[in-house]
Amino acid sequence: MTQPPMKAAIVPVTPLQQNCTLLWCTETMLGAFVDPGGDLPRLKAAAAQHGVTIEKILITHGHIDHCGEAGTLAKELGVRIEGPHEADRFWISRLEDDGRNYGVNGKVFEPDRWLVQGDTVTVGKLTFDVHHCPGHTPGHVVFHHAPSKLAIVGDVLFQGSIGRTDFPMGNHADLLNAIQTRLWPMGGETAFVPGHGPMSTFAQERRGNPFVADRVLAT
């Protein structure tokens, strides 16, 4: 059997059990962490276990459980941080204060590259499309690897739920719009890694999600 071009492993981190994704290019064994919010020894052990050399860190949004220790890890590994959209600068600037509130280590950082709708990011020989999906936070982005039919959606969408919009700068209408106009066009067979909880597919959520199923949004 031939190897798939991409492999991924989910490593839950922080007391909030946030899904950090370790993904890598099977041809080059170069990889990235998406949303390394904390528990850095566990993350580095996962990369070593799979024989992956981390070449960058990708961030979906600026909340503490997703990126609290991203800056620290980037310095330790000597790698770049790409993402989120610059509208989340507000959240990244608060990481140390939020860390104290949630009992998570938080350190303010400046990404090497802010991302916008239509950008791409590379990991090894893989290319991911970047989709700006505001609502949970104003600068939230989603990473989509079309050939693998996989999306990493952070806290935009979950199995059976959607991201909270009651935080500062959250917007429920924006979130629903992003799900319908950015995620659904990726195709129902696309599987997604949410920021918390189990994976699902867009088709499954369009059938049964109580917030964004087709029958709910049609009313």
Side-chain angles (χ1 to χ4, degrees), residues 52-194:
V52 175
T53 300
I54 299 298
E55 68 166 353
K56 68 180 59 172
I57 290 169
L58 303 176
I59 304 293
T60 63
H61 67 292
H63 281 166
I64 181 76
D65 51 327
H66 290 257
C67 67
E69 291 203 73
T72 302
L73 183 60
K75 281 195 176 69
E76 289 180 4
L77 298 179
V79 299
R80 291 166 52 85
I81 299 177
E82 299 187 12
H85 185 286
E86 195 169 4
D88 266 16
R89 187 183 281 280
F90 162 82
W91 281 105
I92 294 172
S93 72
R94 296 172 38 138
L95 285 173
E96 287 169 23
D97 293 337
D98 287 343
R100 283 189 286 274
N101 294 335
Y102 286 97
V104 178
N105 289 329
K107 192 157 184 64
V108 176
F109 64 92
E110 177 81 12
D112 296 280
R113 179 188 176 201
W114 298 103
L115 298 173
V116 299
Q117 173 68 25
D119 276 349
T120 58
V121 296
T122 59
V123 178
K125 294 188 176 180
L126 307 172
T127 300
F128 294 80
D129 296 311
V130 174
H131 294 275
H132 181 210
C133 294
H136 178 66
T137 68
H140 201 304
V141 297
V142 163
F143 300 101
H144 180 217
H145 189 245
S148 298
K149 295 186 170 60
L150 181 75
I152 299 172
V153 304
D155 288 353
V156 173
L157 182 69
F158 303 103
Q159 184 187 87
S161 190
I162 58 174
R164 290 175 59 175
T165 54
D166 57 337
F167 293 119
M169 302 176 77
N171 186 301
H172 185 72
D174 284 353
L175 184 71
L176 296 183
N177 182 64
I179 291 169
Q180 290 177 274
T181 64
R182 304 278 199 235
L183 301 190
W184 291 169
M186 295 178 195
E189 69 283 3
T190 299
F192 68 91
V193 180

